[in-house]
Amino acid sequence: MKKHPIFAVIAILLIIAGFGMIHSTKGIMEIISILFIGMGTFYLLYLLFTSSKNRNES
């Protein structure tokens, strides 16, 4: 699977936006910010685990 670096940048931006919105006064914005942080973190962890697997095989 080819990894695009733009997705990593988007994941980092999602995490930053999530932390910026986490202390909103509206409940729905807090839920959205938690989802942003979770999606960004999940993708970066996915990249971490798949890159270490590829290094061990080669």
Side-chain angles (χ1 to χ4, degrees):
M1 180 176 155
K2 184 177 178 184
K3 295 179 184 74
H4 300 284
I6 189 70
F7 292 144
V9 172
I10 291 172
I12 292 169
L13 290 176
L14 281 175
I15 293 171
I16 292 170
F19 277 113
M21 296 185 318
I22 195 80
H23 298 292
S24 177
T25 58
K26 299 189 186 281
I28 190 71
M29 290 301 287
E30 289 182 357
I31 293 171
I32 291 172
S33 68
I34 291 170
L35 290 175
F36 279 2
I37 294 170
M39 287 188 306
T41 304
F42 178 76
Y43 185 71
L44 291 178
L45 285 173
Y46 169 76
L47 286 179
L48 178 70
F49 288 129
T50 58
S51 68
S52 66
K53 187 188 327 178
N54 290 340
R55 263 189 263 144
N56 291 338
E57 291 176 356
S58 57

